[in-house]
């Protein structure tokens, strides 16, 4: 066992896009578990867009990471040493130990994954928080019906890809939005979307109008910005908008330029009786996790869901990979393999 715990802490708060200087890699002693505790070794670390929010101290639904504290994050870990009656050494767990090799846990909040889990890292993606987000946001707020047109951006990421595939299972027409030709091809050829459009195209709004010739019934909001601007005039009466994320704005330091669209948005909501509802997955839906897990496992077993992981090896790649996530450089669920599996 390595003698050190490598960890990445928040060194300063970013203004705009995060940079390497906002983080610091440290080496400290491996922590020792007390009675009733265990030492967890992180094998896989999930990198997610919400982490950008934790780097800022502006008001949010969760506390920010403090300066000099380890960056937060979900991990798939192996129990390295256990002084806990319910956990054995060698067991795998879903935990929240953050951007570091080792963490101490008293078992609270851990999800057991067994001794030899298949696809352990899926617990960070399609079988975990992002998959659950897609499932609840689409089905509970989006309420898709067969024949509806569903639009989702960040279409090849773990949330968007799952939203689109569930919408297809429900008999909808699915229009994805993604950055670049390769991602768009994947959304159609592998995920089974009807169409996928590149939001970087100059005539993106016209392409979207053309693809949604019957209007939009469900817009699953992942990105905001110009994608939402293009969606708004196409919304049908009675449309539903689960507001999941606004990644195009996470690095913004001021409101977007251009005319104020607020009154146009509110008028659209009123005239077309549109439901637009934000949600924070575990705050709002934790009680339905088991239902999601059972359904998603079944879909995966039946081959009804495709899942693409973007696996990067090595803690030294973590910061660059995270910065890239906010620029669309990931292709699939971004996971860092911090340590060897054996
Ligand atoms: N409400 C909740 O509880 C909850 C839970 C989980 C996730 N979320 C949100 O769900 C969204 C998707 O998360 P994810 O984990 O699936 O991320 P993801 O898709 O793996 O990664 C983010 C993607 O966003 C796209 N993007 C980045 N900047 C963009 C821009 N300016 N315009 C358009 N697209 C841009 C990029 O894809 P392209 O290259 O394809 O554009 C990038 O790959 C995020 O907004 C996240 O914050 C919310």
């Amino acid at each position: 066992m390595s003698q050190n715990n490598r960890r990445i802490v928040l060194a300063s708060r970013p203004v705009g896009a995060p940079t390497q200087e906002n983080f610091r890699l440290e080496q400290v002693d491996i922590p020792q578990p007390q009675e009733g505790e265990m030492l967890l070794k992180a094998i896989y670390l999930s990198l997610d867009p919400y982490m950008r929010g934790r780097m800022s101290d502006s008001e949010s639904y969760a506390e920010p990471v403090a300066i000099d504290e380890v960056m937060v994050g979900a991990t798939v870990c192996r129990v390295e040493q256990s002084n806990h009656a319910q956990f054995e050494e060698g067991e795998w767990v879903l935990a929240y130990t953050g951007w570091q090799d080792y963490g101490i846990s008293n078992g609270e909040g851990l999800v057991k994954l067994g001794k030899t889990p298949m696809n352990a890292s899926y617990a960070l993606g399609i079988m975990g928080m992002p998959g659950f987000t897609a499932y609840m946001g689409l089905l509970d707020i989006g309420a898709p019906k067969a024949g509806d047109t569903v639009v989702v951006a960040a279409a090849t990421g773990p949330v968007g890809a799952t939203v689109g595939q569930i919408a297809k299972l429900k008999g909808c027409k699915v229009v994805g939005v993604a950055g670049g030709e390769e991602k768009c091809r994947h959304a159609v050829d592998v995920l089974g979307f009807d169409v996928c459009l590149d939001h970087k195209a100059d005539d993106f709004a016209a392409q979207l109008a053309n693809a949604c010739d019957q209007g939009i019934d469900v817009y699953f909001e992942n990105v905001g910005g110009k994608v939402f601007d293009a969606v708004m005039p196409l919304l049908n009466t009675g449309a539903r908008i689960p507001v999941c994320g606004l990644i195009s704005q996470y690095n913004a330091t001021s409101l977007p330029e251009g005319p104020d669209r607020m009154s146009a948005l509110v008028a659209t909501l009123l005239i077309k009786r549109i439901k637009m509802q934000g949600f924070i997955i575990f705050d709002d839906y934790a009680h339905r996790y088991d239902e999601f897990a059972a359904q998603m496992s079944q879909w995966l077993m039946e081959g009804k869901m495709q899942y693409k992981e973007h696996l990067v090896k090595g803690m030294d790649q973590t910061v660059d990979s995270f910065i890239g996530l906010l620029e669309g450089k990931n292709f699939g669920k971004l996971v860092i393999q911090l340590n060897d599996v054996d």
Side-chain angles (χ1 to χ4, degrees):
M1 182 161 107
S2 134
Q3 293 310 299
N4 285 320
N5 180 28
R6 297 170 302 163
R7 63 184 198 181
I8 297 173
V9 301
L10 181 65
S12 58
R13 299 203 185 280
V15 178
T19 64
Q20 283 279 350
E21 287 64 45
N22 298 130
F23 304 90
R24 190 173 61 246
L25 177 65
E26 297 180 344
Q27 304 231 13
V28 296
D29 289 341
I30 296 172
Q32 292 302 311
Q34 305 300 310
E35 196 49 42
E37 292 182 337
M38 62 201 123
L39 177 66
L40 303 178
K41 181 175 185 177
I43 310 297
Y44 299 109
L45 165 69
S46 180
L47 291 182
D48 298 277
Y50 76 83
M51 293 165 174
R52 175 63 185 84
R54 298 288 197 285
M55 297 178 76
S56 295
D57 57 5
S58 48
E59 191 184 349
S60 187
Y61 61 93
E63 288 296 310
V65 174
I67 298 295
D68 296 331
E69 286 297 319
V70 177
M71 282 293 295
V72 291
T75 48
V76 165
C77 299
R78 228 181 18 226
V79 178
E80 200 76 359
Q81 204 181 320
S82 180
N83 301 330
H84 191 296
Q86 266 103 53
F87 292 85
E88 285 177 39
E89 281 169 30
E91 246 186 282
W92 290 65
V93 291
L94 173 64
Y96 204 72
T97 48
W99 297 20
Q100 60 183 342
D101 286 321
Y102 293 97
I104 296 289
S105 169
N106 62 6
E108 209 182 306
L110 295 191
V111 177
K112 282 176 174 262
L113 300 174
K115 282 224 159 175
T116 49
M118 269 179 59
N119 304 317
S121 58
Y122 281 29
L124 303 171
I126 192 154
M127 281 302 300
M129 186 276 282
F132 187 30
T133 300
Y135 179 90
M136 291 313 322
L138 179 68
L139 295 181
D140 197 57
I141 302 173
K145 300 185 298 296
D148 279 353
T149 297
V150 174
V151 174
V152 63
T156 60
V159 175
T162 313
V163 165
Q165 290 182 89
I166 298 174
K168 283 306 301 173
L169 290 173
K170 300 291 171 191
C172 302
K173 171 178 173 178
V174 175
V175 178
V177 176
E181 195 197 324
E182 193 187 6
K183 288 184 177 181
C184 286
R185 209 177 323 114
H186 175 82
V188 173
D189 293 350
V190 179
L191 303 176
F193 290 19
D194 295 279
V195 187
C196 187
L197 306 172
D198 183 354
H199 61 82
K200 295 175 186 162
D202 291 339
D203 62 344
F204 167 70
Q207 286 188 33
L208 187 69
N210 190 40
C212 302
D213 56 345
Q214 303 296 307
I216 297 172
D217 301 295
V218 180
Y219 173 55
F220 192 100
E221 176 62 297
N222 275 336
V223 302
K226 70 175 191 178
V227 177
F228 187 67
D229 286 346
V231 161
M232 199 163 70
L234 305 175
L235 291 164
N236 286 334
T237 297
R240 288 81 65 202
I241 307 177
V243 182
C244 176
L246 297 170
I247 193 165
S248 75
Q249 307 303 306
Y250 290 173
N251 287 330
T253 51
S254 61
L255 289 172
E257 287 180 15
D260 181 355
R261 273 90 96 213
M262 181 67 87
S263 53
L265 168 63
V266 177
T268 304
L269 299 182
L270 170 66
I271 295 162
K272 294 184 173 168
R273 285 87 87 197
I274 287 167
K275 171 171 149 181
M276 187 171 189
Q277 186 182 323
F279 68 106
I280 301 298
I281 189 61
F282 281 106
D283 292 17
D284 297 329
Y285 290 110
H287 59 288
R288 292 186 63 182
Y289 186 81
D290 291 347
E291 165 201 327
F292 152 75
Q295 177 63 84
M296 189 54 76
S297 317
Q298 191 184 334
W299 281 334
L300 281 168
M301 264 179 341
E302 292 169 354
K304 290 182 174 163
M305 283 283 154
Q306 303 301 317
Y307 179 56
K308 182 169 171 52
E309 207 171 60
H310 182 145
L311 187 73
V312 180
K313 289 194 177 174
M315 185 177 287
D316 54 340
Q317 303 298 313
T318 306
V319 172
D320 277 346
S321 299
F322 176 65
I323 292 170
L325 174 72
L326 301 167
E327 299 168 349
K329 289 190 179 149
N330 64 308
F331 187 5
K333 169 65 194 137
L334 184 57
V335 173
I336 305 292
Q337 185 170 347
L338 294 178
N339 287 291
D340 289 339
V341 176
D342 53 25

